[in-house]
Amino acid sequence: MRLVPLLIAILISLTDSAAIAQTQQTITYTYYPVHPEVGTSIYKQMFKDSTVSHQDRKVVAISDWNIKYTVSYQPLKDGLCEIEKHEVVSSCDITLPRLVTDEKGLLDAFNEYMPYLRKHEHNHCQIAMDYADFLDGQLDSLGPMECQ
């Protein structure tokens, strides 16, 4: 148990000298209804019923992400400043189709496809989240700089 006081001392020294960093990451899901029509494939129906587009083209799913950051500085001597606190907030909204039917065969086919589409869109969000983590790390690593 000798390590506990040492670990506490290390944590206190880190919080005294390091900038306060805060990172928030959220992923939300939005769904639009797909109403299958007789004689139309589910895939074509998803395009027809889709409420999302990318570069002026309808798509069946989309990931819309955003990264925001704030930084506050504290002045040091000799005209230098250091980061006192920073926050990186990343959010991603995934829009996916939801099949509206009681027909078991259609639901089974759709439910077999959806995990792949959900994973594909989630991977887009993960790229944004990874970049937010990278940005947070870069802000953590900045040392004193000239105040502007």
Side-chain angles (χ1 to χ4, degrees), residues 22-70:
Q22 192 172 19
T23 303
Q24 297 174 6
Q25 298 181 339
T26 58
I27 298 177
T28 56
Y29 292 88
T30 304
Y31 296 90
Y32 66 89
V34 175
H35 301 278
E37 295 177 3
V38 176
T40 304
S41 74
I42 295 173
Y43 189 69
K44 285 182 182 178
Q45 194 66 46
M46 283 191 292
F47 273 104
K48 182 179 177 188
D49 293 348
S50 176
T51 60
V52 293
S53 62
H54 176 66
Q55 297 178 344
D56 297 326
R57 293 179 59 198
K58 263 193 174 183
V59 293
V60 298
I62 197 163
S63 302
D64 184 24
W65 55 269
N66 192 352
I67 299 172
K68 294 180 181 179
Y69 66 94
T70 57

Side-chain angles (χ1 to χ4, degrees), residues 49-102:
D49 293 348
S50 176
T51 60
V52 293
S53 62
H54 176 66
Q55 297 178 344
D56 297 326
R57 293 179 59 198
K58 263 193 174 183
V59 293
V60 298
I62 197 163
S63 302
D64 184 24
W65 55 269
N66 192 352
I67 299 172
K68 294 180 181 179
Y69 66 94
T70 57
V71 178
S72 58
Y73 300 90
Q74 75 178 23
L76 302 171
K77 54 186 167 189
D78 300 327
L80 296 178
C81 288
E82 71 178 355
I83 293 177
E84 178 180 43
K85 178 178 141 184
H86 71 270
E87 180 179 39
V88 178
V89 177
S90 57
S91 60
C92 188
D93 183 52
I94 299 174
T95 302
L96 296 167
R98 175 171 284 147
L99 194 63
V100 181
T101 185
D102 293 331

Side-chain angles (χ1 to χ4, degrees), residues 80-129:
L80 296 178
C81 288
E82 71 178 355
I83 293 177
E84 178 180 43
K85 178 178 141 184
H86 71 270
E87 180 179 39
V88 178
V89 177
S90 57
S91 60
C92 188
D93 183 52
I94 299 174
T95 302
L96 296 167
R98 175 171 284 147
L99 194 63
V100 181
T101 185
D102 293 331
E103 193 173 323
K104 185 178 176 356
L106 285 176
L107 280 172
D108 288 347
F110 185 78
N111 289 336
E112 188 175 315
Y113 166 70
M114 280 308 295
Y116 298 102
L117 183 59
R118 188 175 289 109
K119 176 71 173 152
H120 173 86
E121 294 304 326
H122 191 271
N123 286 343
H124 289 292
C125 289
Q126 190 60 52
I127 292 167
M129 302 300 173

Side-chain angles (χ1 to χ4, degrees), residues 6-25:
L6 178 61
L7 290 173
I8 291 172
I10 291 171
L11 288 173
I12 289 171
S13 70
L14 286 175
T15 56
D16 280 348
S17 63
I20 298 172
Q22 192 172 19
T23 303
Q24 297 174 6
Q25 298 181 339

